[in-house]
Amino acid sequence: MSAEYATFGLAPAMRAGGVLANGDYQVHRDFVDFIVDGRPLLFQLSDLDAVSPLASDIPPAIFSAQVRSLLLEADAPLAGGRYVIYGCPECEDLACGAVTAVIEKLGDDYVWRDFAWQTDERADLELNGYHGIGPFRFHGAEYRAALGSLLSDAGGERRRVLLIGARVAVLAKLAAALRIIGIGAEITRDAAEVSAEELRTYGAVAFGRDVSEQERAAVRQSFERAGVDVSYVDGLAPIVPLLVAQIEHALDRSPREQRRLTRLVAADGAAGVEVTSPCRVQLTAYRLDRLYRTHAYEVFDGVLEAGEHRLALDSKATKGESFIVARTSGGVLVEAMGG
């Protein structure tokens, strides 16, 4: 075996959900990603919208079975000793396509090799192989320790969002949109009567623009008394897709150094975007007119190489009160348009 040793680890990751400018919905998925030599393996696959089989929203028994499968405690699910490494985030159907690899033991070590894009029972390595990825050889103790640590908390707990504000119609639309993409959401004006046990199920709190600082402080105190560490979101505008994007960003638990989309600035008719690896980036502008009607503009959609990029914005998308949403498959950032 010619594979060189690589380090193996795991880290929380997210497939960002959202309400897209065309009205479509994209499902939110939390999952555990594979960290090879300190970098997410998914980043080596360029513009791939996929999740690992270690997703937090699958039943604990299935989650445990997936972990044990990667530990080779069960037969390979695909012919040729192949395992799914990344699959479709919407349906997880092999017909949609999946990244697969052979996983085998070599002495006490584990080896991942022959990565391929697969859409049926057998992989065509010559036609669909990822020839520049792997093979990877992992020390057995490190590999088993990383995957074994997941078994004590199989599947995790789905996160919810607490929505606080006075504009009930907007909050109801926001809650419905979040639920459609897989994020639980409840609406309240006051968290004082909410039990500590229930507060612990929330990962973020979103405040409407009409919530006073006194009310915000009272909510924060309720969470502090319950010993709950949550992210707080100050809603930029009563625009549902924009608020969904803000909440998606707040729920991102992945380490900052392992994120693909790391920076967004919006000023002087341009957006500055920084990515850490080649990936597809979508920029959408949202604008409120004088009658508080929402206008959406798709201003960029393309693959960017790693590094910093300056992207010009159409002037009609940046008039008045406007905002920019930058989205990749694994994250989303939001900025108000500066002068």
Side-chain angles (χ1 to χ4, degrees):
M1 171 62 63
S2 61
E4 297 182 358
Y5 277 109
T7 62
F8 181 86
L10 302 168
M14 179 184 77
R15 189 272 190 146
V19 182
L20 306 183
N22 63 3
D24 290 343
Y25 290 90
Q26 183 169 287
V27 175
H28 171 99
R29 301 294 302 278
D30 289 309
F31 65 99
V32 178
D33 201 3
F34 307 111
I35 308 300
V36 177
D37 284 337
R39 291 279 289 170
L41 180 59
L42 186 60
F43 286 12
Q44 296 193 39
L45 303 172
S46 188
D47 179 32
L48 183 65
D49 182 13
V51 299
S52 83
L54 305 177
S56 65
D57 56 354
I58 60 176
I62 297 178
F63 186 93
S64 296
Q66 295 284 12
V67 173
R68 297 190 186 283
S69 177
L70 294 172
L71 288 168
L72 303 185
E73 295 178 5
D75 293 337
L78 301 173
R82 303 190 72 82
Y83 295 77
V84 173
I85 306 300
Y86 295 106
C88 174
E90 298 286 345
C91 67
E92 303 178 38
D93 190 335
L94 184 61
C96 290
V99 177
T100 68
V102 174
I103 301 179
E104 60 187 7
K105 288 199 71 175
L106 186 65
D108 190 50
D109 299 334
Y110 291 78
V111 176
W112 289 18
R113 62 175 175 83
D114 295 340
F115 288 82
W117 178 254
Q118 190 168 344
T119 56
D120 52 35
E121 287 303 311
R122 294 193 175 276
D124 187 333
L125 289 178
E126 183 175 347
L127 183 64
N128 296 316
Y130 287 99
H131 303 293
I133 298 179
F136 302 115
R137 182 171 179 171
F138 306 116
H139 289 286
E142 179 184 56
Y143 185 89
R144 287 189 295 271
L147 288 169
S149 67
L150 298 177
L151 295 175
S152 60
D153 186 29
E157 184 178 8
R158 296 186 67 180
R159 306 299 278 176
R160 297 195 297 162
V161 179
L162 191 62
L163 308 177
I164 299 177
R167 302 187 65 169
V168 177
V170 173
L171 294 180
K173 291 178 181 178
L174 175 58
L178 290 168
R179 290 165 187 155
I180 287 174
I181 67 172
I183 298 174
E186 284 76 40
I187 301 169
T188 187
R189 185 73 199 203
D190 186 350
E193 302 302 321
V194 182
S195 69
E197 183 178 355
E198 184 175 354
L199 290 178
R200 294 188 185 99
T201 68
Y202 293 105
V205 177
F207 296 111
R209 295 200 294 186
D210 53 354
V211 180
S212 69
E213 186 53 45
Q214 183 178 359
E215 291 173 306
R216 295 169 191 242
V219 171
R220 291 189 176 96
Q221 288 174 4
S222 294
F223 278 90
E224 289 172 2
R225 284 195 298 268
V228 183
D229 183 19
V230 296
S231 298
Y232 295 98
V233 177
D234 294 321
L236 289 173
I239 302 172
V240 169
L242 180 72
L243 296 171
V244 169
Q246 285 190 266
I247 290 169
E248 280 286 285
H249 175 65
L251 290 175
D252 191 349
R253 299 179 298 112
S254 61
R256 290 187 178 276
E257 64 274 12
Q258 292 170 3
R259 296 182 187 180
R260 179 172 277 174
L261 178 62
T262 55
R263 182 170 174 267
L264 171 66
V265 294
D268 301 323
V273 178
E274 183 175 5
V275 294
T276 59
S277 66
C279 60
R280 179 188 179 192
V281 175
Q282 297 167 288
L283 289 183
T284 306
Y286 295 95
R287 179 174 66 85
L288 286 176
D289 64 21
R290 293 180 179 179
L291 299 178
Y292 280 87
R293 294 173 300 192
T294 300
H295 302 268
Y297 307 88
E298 294 184 1
V299 294
F300 180 80
D301 187 346
V303 175
L304 297 179
E305 296 299 317
E308 298 182 0
H309 304 268
R310 179 180 170 84
L311 305 171
L313 303 174
D314 192 315
S315 60
K316 66 181 180 181
T318 60
K319 293 180 179 178
E321 190 175 11
S322 57
F323 311 88
I324 303 296
V325 175
R327 179 182 298 279
T328 67
S329 62
V332 60
L333 292 176
V334 181
E335 279 294 323
M337 191 69 195

